[in-house]
Amino acid sequence: MEDFIKSTIGVGIGIIAILIMIAFFSTCTIISPGERGVKVTLGKISPEVYQEGVHFVTPFVSHITKWDVKTTTSNIKTQTPTKDIQTATIVYTLAYHLNPETVAKLQKEVGRDYYSKLILPVVEGVVKDVIGKQNANELIGNREVVASAIKVKLIEVLNSSYFAVTDFNITNITYEPSFMKAV
């Protein structure tokens, strides 16, 4: 009987030790380099942005969501008409990163789907606007000038919000086969 009591107490102490360890480790969040954190307490987003390092939260009440603020590159393909009504298929690369100071506001106002909600519509609109002012023949020869004009417009629009555009390049331009044959 005495062995049973000792083993029961040992198991009880082991369970309590495990629960204490779980509670302790659930209070820690590590934010890695190139990330920022946003604390959410009972569904309410804190306006403070957490830097890299170890941060403590109240277990089961708060958690920290991590946001990658390193540069991201997107390869995008779109079709758009030129000034002379030719359909150009443009393949381009956009490099951007989240503004680290605004991730809490981004999480609160937009959420994780910011790329499809904010970035892609703006980029597509700017690309179509700038390309639509070029003749098809000029577009091929002025690819770098056009890419630079698009980048300047994207910086004006996107850098004023949650993002920083770092680069924009047109990697390929193709036209309908009938136009290519005529050229």
Side-chain angles (χ1 to χ4, degrees):
M1 180 74 169
E2 191 174 305
D3 289 338
F4 176 73
I5 293 173
K6 284 182 183 179
S7 65
T8 305
I9 291 173
V11 170
I13 290 173
I15 291 173
I16 291 171
I18 290 172
L19 291 175
I20 289 171
M21 288 177 60
I22 290 172
F24 174 75
F25 285 115
S26 67
T27 65
C28 297
T29 299
I30 298 173
I31 298 176
S32 302
E35 292 181 334
R36 294 297 182 270
V38 177
K39 187 176 186 180
V40 180
T41 304
L42 298 174
K44 184 177 178 188
I45 296 172
S46 168
E48 182 182 357
V49 176
Y50 291 84
Q51 305 292 323
E52 294 103 349
V54 178
H55 300 279
F56 296 96
V57 294
T58 307
F60 313 112
V61 176
S62 298
H63 68 278
I64 294 180
T65 57
K66 298 176 186 177
W67 290 80
D68 186 351
V69 295
K70 296 184 293 288
T71 299
T72 301
T73 303
S74 296
N75 295 310
I76 307 165
K77 180 179 180 179
T78 190
Q79 288 188 327
T80 184
T82 60
K83 183 178 179 181
D84 53 354
I85 319 294
Q86 296 299 321
T87 300
T89 301
I90 311 293
V91 179
Y92 53 91
T93 302
L94 172 70
Y96 68 94
H97 62 84
L98 296 180
N99 182 346
E101 295 81 31
T102 63
V103 292
K105 185 177 177 188
L106 178 65
Q107 181 171 339
K108 185 175 187 174
E109 295 177 357
V110 181
R112 291 268 184 203
D113 195 21
Y114 60 86
Y115 182 80
S116 65
K117 288 180 180 177
L118 296 179
I119 292 177
L120 196 56
V122 168
V123 173
E124 292 274 326
V126 169
V127 167
K128 289 180 180 190
D129 180 51
V130 173
I131 298 291
K133 295 176 183 172
Q134 302 289 318
N135 286 324
N137 289 339
E138 297 169 347
L139 182 58
I140 294 172
N142 295 329
R143 178 190 305 201
E144 291 172 7
V145 173
V146 171
S148 179
I150 292 170
K151 181 180 175 181
V152 167
K153 278 191 154 191
L154 288 174
I155 288 172
E156 284 176 16
V157 176
L158 290 175
N159 285 21
S160 64
S161 60
Y162 311 105
F163 316 102
V165 173
T166 56
D167 204 8
F168 180 89
N169 291 302
I170 296 175
T171 57
N172 195 19
I173 302 171
T174 57
Y175 296 98
E176 294 177 352
S178 58
F179 177 75
M180 293 303 287
K181 197 179 223 184
V183 172

